[in-house]
Amino acid sequence: MQKPIAIWLFICCAFVFAMVVVGGVTRLTGSGLSIVEWQPLIGAIPPLNQEDWIVLFEKYRLIPQYEEVNKGMTLEEFKGIFWWEYFHRLLGRAIGIVYFIPLIYFVSRKQVDRILGLKLLGIFVLGALQGLMGWYMVMSGLVDNVYVSQYRLTAHLGLAFIIYAAMFWVATGLWSSENSLQQEKSSLQGLRRFSFLITILIFIMVLSGGLVAGIHAGLAYNTFPLMNGYLMPPDLFILEPWYRNFFENMATVQFDHRMIAWLLAFLIPLFWFKTKKYSLSRSEQLACHFLLVMLIIQISLGITTLLLVVPLHLAAAHQAGAILLFTTALWVNRKLS
């Protein structure tokens, strides 16, 4: 039976979902550099007494972020940012356990064939790389910078979405084979290509959002639909060489994120209207309806977050919305495949 494996992978997806949302909060609260060492095993134990707290705080006071951003921070204030990063890393450890132990169980019970085993092993390798990427990201803010590199942050976020997509895709494939026979869908080839394009575009928008968070671009141009009265701000290309603007210029990075959102706001309704020309099953129609609904919710969250200058609860909801929109797009792709 493969349904238990599918359920296990869905549970792992839920953990990754939580990990991404907590990671977003960690970034928004400036908590990511509060733990300056990578200790995969003993790091799971939090400070147990006042002396432990003082040792950790003294280590944090040695990095540039404390000197240039949080100088004068009290120990109690440090605890506030510490717990977000600690919980983020604890979730990462929990995901490793939740994934690895059942994997060994299913393999030992011979419930995993060779092809599925390779897929699951590949996901495990990606998870290990994600742990290394997380520490590589943190390292970028410990010496010369007050925040982590937006490039490494975006890579860390993108890899999380890739791991999530891999687990979700394998899980839905196992669930479909368990519960239904696949009908002939050659007539849906054009629609499948369209849905795949939308999914890739959503992933690109996620990466764009990583850059927005990485350079705090959401704190600028807090107007909509224009950017401080401009359709295209005059400072889009003030950096040299020109290509740096797409990654380091707050105006350009936010402009790009908006443009991708506008493109999705056009393409997803167009896709939804095109589905009306096909004889889709009720579950296929439901997936397409949900894609349109999630687009509306996510764009509404994005606009509100921008206009209110990135309040923590809305920004976290916007990040969660990105995962849900991406999930719905994957669901549509699975239903049409």
Side-chain angles (χ1 to χ4, degrees):
M1 293 179 59
Q2 293 184 312
K3 184 181 289 186
I5 299 178
I7 293 173
W8 159 59
L9 289 173
F10 283 133
I11 292 172
C12 291
C13 285
F15 270 87
V16 174
F17 176 90
M19 183 79 169
V20 171
V21 174
V22 172
V25 175
T26 299
R27 173 58 179 167
L28 291 163
T29 56
S31 305
L33 298 177
S34 59
I35 303 177
V36 301
E37 295 175 324
W38 190 39
Q39 299 170 315
L41 297 179
I42 64 173
I45 303 174
L48 300 176
N49 51 52
Q50 187 73 358
E51 183 179 348
D52 290 345
W53 279 113
I54 292 173
V55 170
L56 285 173
F57 188 34
E58 288 301 318
K59 291 178 180 179
Y60 176 70
R61 292 176 63 181
L62 296 176
I63 70 172
Q65 186 183 81
Y66 174 81
E67 285 294 326
E68 299 183 33
V69 179
N70 291 326
K71 192 172 182 63
M73 171 184 274
T74 66
L75 180 59
E76 289 304 311
E77 291 171 332
F78 170 73
K79 291 178 182 180
I81 65 172
F82 170 87
W83 284 117
W84 278 117
E85 175 64 8
Y86 173 79
F87 187 48
H88 183 59
R89 296 194 187 193
L90 191 65
L91 267 176
R93 294 180 175 96
I95 292 171
I97 294 171
V98 170
Y99 190 87
F100 183 71
I101 294 178
L103 174 61
I104 296 301
Y105 172 79
F106 288 126
V107 170
S108 65
R109 295 293 298 272
K110 298 182 180 179
Q111 296 182 27
V112 177
D113 60 30
R114 183 175 180 274
I115 295 178
L116 178 58
L118 289 174
K119 293 177 181 177
L120 297 177
L121 179 60
I123 294 172
F124 179 77
V125 171
L126 288 176
L129 290 175
Q130 178 70 327
L132 294 173
M133 177 60 73
W135 177 242
Y136 181 61
M137 175 187 70
V138 169
M139 287 174 59
S140 65
L142 296 180
V143 180
D144 299 319
N145 301 314
V146 296
Y147 296 109
V148 299
S149 162
Q150 72 269 30
Y151 299 104
R152 300 185 191 184
L153 173 70
T154 302
H156 189 50
L157 177 65
L159 186 52
F161 270 73
I162 290 172
I163 293 169
Y164 180 91
M167 291 193 299
F168 185 85
W169 192 257
V170 174
T172 51
L174 295 174
W175 193 271
S176 298
S177 63
E178 184 79 20
N179 290 282
S180 62
L181 294 175
Q182 293 296 309
Q183 58 180 328
E184 177 58 42
K185 296 182 179 179
S186 58
S187 61
L188 302 180
Q189 185 175 357
L191 204 59
R192 282 199 300 272
R193 290 175 178 172
F194 199 169
S195 67
F196 179 74
L197 171 64
I198 288 173
T199 306
I200 294 298
L201 193 58
I202 292 172
F203 180 70
I204 293 173
M205 186 178 71
V206 167
L207 299 181
S208 170
L211 291 173
V212 170
I215 64 172
H216 302 92
L219 300 178
Y221 300 97
N222 299 102
T223 61
F224 187 85
L226 300 179
M227 298 177 68
N228 291 356
Y230 295 98
L231 181 62
M232 296 181 64
D235 51 349
L236 283 181
F237 291 97
I238 60 174
L239 300 182
E240 294 291 344
W242 61 270
Y243 56 80
R244 285 180 55 209
N245 291 280
F246 292 99
F247 309 103
E248 301 175 18
N249 183 335
M250 294 175 71
T252 313
V253 168
Q254 190 189 126
F255 177 80
D256 292 344
H257 194 60
R258 289 186 184 219
M259 290 301 102
I260 298 171
W262 278 116
L263 186 56
L264 285 170
F266 171 75
L267 290 177
I268 291 179
L270 177 62
F271 172 80
W272 185 80
F273 278 112
K274 283 181 68 69
T275 63
K276 301 299 180 181
K277 300 178 182 179
Y278 296 84
S279 299
L280 302 179
S281 67
R282 288 189 63 182
S283 63
E284 291 165 350
Q285 291 175 2
L286 183 63
C288 295
H289 293 334
F290 264 96
L291 181 62
L292 182 61
V293 170
M294 273 310 308
L295 171 74
I296 295 170
I297 293 173
Q298 179 65 349
I299 288 180
S300 299
L301 282 171
I303 294 172
T304 307
T305 301
L306 180 73
L307 294 178
L308 297 180
V309 197
V310 198
L312 180 61
H313 64 289
L314 282 177
H318 186 50
Q319 183 133 340
I323 310 172
L324 293 176
L325 180 62
F326 185 62
T327 303
T328 311
L330 291 172
W331 182 29
V332 170
N333 277 271
R334 172 57 76 188
K335 297 304 295 185
L336 297 179
S337 63

